[in-house]
Amino acid sequence: MKPDGGIYITLATQFALMSLFAIGGAVAAVPEMHRLAVEVKGWMTDQQFADMFAIAQLTPGPNVIVVTLIGYHVAGLTGAAIATAAMCGPTCLLAYYVGGIWEKFKTARWRIVIQAGLVPISIGLIAASAWVLTLAADHSAVAFVLTAITVAVSYFTKFNPLWLFVGAAVLGMLGLV
Amino acid sequence: MTETDTPAPRQAQAITPPTLLELFLAFCKMSLSGFGGVLPWARRQMIEERRWLTVAEFNELFSLAQFLPGANVVNMSVVFGSRFGGPVGAALALLGLMGPPVLIVVVLAYFYAQYGDLDLLRRALSGIAASAAGLIIATTMKMAGPLFSKPYTTAPLIVALAFVAVAIFRLPLPYVLLTLVPLSIGLAYLRLRA
């Protein structure tokens, strides 16, 4: 697919809009990314989406770089740059200005109320991400077991997840997943 | 996200403000260390290694970053950078955090585009994807724990509504939030008024 101007505008507007609704961080927006990229636009398959999330997890740094991968997949290097800038730009500007005045409202009641109201929403959204990613990634009993093992190890220990990924990759290469 | 309540060693109040170069390099370092999430490394750098923030200040900074929409650590880099270096500080902290991983991921994206259909790579990625999904489930569990241990709040109901709307019914996020945010803040207001 040869990218034209239209696809750049779509990437810029969709990710900029999405970022403003990402309450609870980039992972909270994963179901919306999946809805956009797989269901609405048909840019990629369910499995390709799961692959991209896996590559983003393999890369050190913030989880938001999954957006860079989606942008690259859709429209090459320019797409990667546009998607990343759109996902980070508006929220960074917001953070810059709100960060300056936030201290003043440290004990304000409205601030405490808003925070208490937003926490359960962000947890619900991250739970939805977990659901979407599990359905996209797990197509066999072994894959489900692998997911379950990762849950147990990362919930109960401080083991570096990178080693779990290495083990999972080896099991995958052996054709077991 | 989940590490904010672990106690860290106390330290002296005197904190040397970072130079712009130190700011940039510190964010590069925490970004490149952060597999499966940057937050634990950000804590380690800012509180324990560099001593730029106390534990309470870090928690305060992170709660603001979570409160704002968008990627949490990205927001945190901007707020922290601006506090010590204005707009230039914010830009350098952001560049340190995002620059190295974006370069790495673009190289990986290129390889995926070239060789994504190779059977061996396909199988390796299937394994990693299954494991990566597990990591997010564990994150959810750690975050939800404190919320469900408090009795008589409506928070679990809101969690469930957000989950069902987004995961099961696949409703567009803006509509879900325009409904749930006022509802949840309203319920929090009623609860905290008591």
Side-chain angles (χ1 to χ4, degrees), chain A residues 2-110:
Chain A
K2 177 96 180 83
D4 57 33
I7 194 76
Y8 297 141
I9 294 169
T10 306
L11 282 173
T13 51
Q14 292 293 327
F15 281 110
L17 183 69
M18 187 189 300
S19 72
L20 294 171
F21 287 97
I23 296 180
V27 175
V30 162
E32 187 68 6
M33 290 176 202
H34 181 273
R35 211 181 63 80
L36 177 74
V38 180
E39 292 167 36
V40 179
K41 301 286 180 189
W43 287 331
M44 60 189 72
T45 64
D46 212 23
Q47 183 63 52
Q48 283 174 319
F49 187 85
D51 286 352
M52 288 193 189
F53 190 78
I55 296 171
Q57 292 286 302
L58 270 183
T59 311
N63 292 324
V64 69
I65 49 167
V66 67
V67 168
T68 314
L69 283 163
I70 296 174
Y72 187 95
H73 180 87
V74 175
L77 274 180
T78 317
I82 289 175
T84 314
M87 188 76 186
C88 296
T91 51
C92 282
L93 281 177
L94 193 65
Y96 184 81
Y97 288 107
V98 176
I101 56 171
W102 189 246
E103 285 293 301
K104 282 186 216 155
F105 301 109
K106 208 167 181 171
T107 52
R109 269 184 56 83
W110 61 264

Side-chain angles (χ1 to χ4, degrees), chain B residues 95-126:
Chain B
L95 197 67
L97 183 75
M98 290 298 287
V102 162
L103 291 181
I104 294 172
V105 94
V106 163
V107 173
L108 294 178
Y110 170 80
F111 281 109
Y112 180 75
Q114 296 295 307
Y115 307 108
D117 294 328
L118 276 187
D119 199 40
L120 195 67
L121 189 70
R122 277 246 41 74
R123 293 199 307 233
L125 273 176
S126 309

Side-chain angles (χ1 to χ4, degrees), chain A residues 19-27 31-32 34-35 39 47-48 50-55 57-62 64-65 68-69 72 77 84 88 91-92 94-96 98-99 102-103 106 109 111 113-118 120-121 123-128 130-134 137-138 143 146-147 150-151 154-155 158 160-162 164-165 168-169 172-173 175 177, chain B residues 1 3 31-32 34-36 38 60 63-64 66-75 78-79 82-83 86-87 90 94 97-98 101-102 104-106 108-110 112-113 120 122-138 140-144 147 155 158-159 162-163 166-168 170-174 177 180-181 184-185 188-189 191-193:
Chain A
S19 72
L20 294 171
F21 287 97
I23 296 180
V27 175
E32 187 68 6
H34 181 273
R35 211 181 63 80
E39 292 167 36
Q47 183 63 52
Q48 283 174 319
D51 286 352
M52 288 193 189
F53 190 78
I55 296 171
Q57 292 286 302
L58 270 183
T59 311
V64 69
I65 49 167
T68 314
L69 283 163
Y72 187 95
L77 274 180
T84 314
C88 296
T91 51
C92 282
L94 193 65
Y96 184 81
V98 176
W102 189 246
E103 285 293 301
K106 208 167 181 171
R109 269 184 56 83
R111 200 191 117 171
V113 168
I114 292 176
Q115 264 180 322
L118 292 184
I121 295 178
I123 293 174
L125 296 181
I126 291 171
W131 175 265
V132 168
L133 290 168
T134 306
D138 290 359
L146 202 51
T147 303
T150 310
V151 173
S154 31
Y155 187 75
K158 287 195 181 289
N160 190 331
L162 190 61
L164 290 169
F165 294 161
M173 283 193 269
V177 179
Chain B
M1 270 179 274
E3 313 288 330
S31 185
L32 288 172
F35 288 98
V38 175
E60 181 67 23
S63 92
L64 167 61
Q66 274 190 310
F67 167 82
L68 291 164
N72 294 334
V73 271
V74 174
N75 288 338
V78 169
V79 177
S82 72
R83 215 168 270 178
L94 177 67
L97 183 75
M98 290 298 287
V102 162
I104 294 172
V105 94
V106 163
L108 294 178
Y110 170 80
Y112 180 75
L120 195 67
R122 277 246 41 74
R123 293 199 307 233
L125 273 176
S126 309
I128 297 166
S131 190
L135 195 63
I136 302 302
I137 298 177
T140 312
M141 286 161 59
K142 287 184 199 169
M143 290 180 74
L147 213 57
I158 299 291
V159 173
F163 176 81
V166 172
I168 311 295
R170 313 306 324 270
L171 298 174
L173 189 58
L177 290 182
L180 279 186
V181 167
S184 184
I185 290 176
Y189 173 75
R191 179 165 57 84
L192 292 171
R193 202 179 50 173

Side-chain angles (χ1 to χ4, degrees), chain B residues 9-15 51 53-54 57:
Chain B
R10 292 295 317 156
Q11 76 249 336
Q13 284 306 107
I15 285 161
R51 306 201 163 190
L53 296 174
T54 64
E57 283 168 334

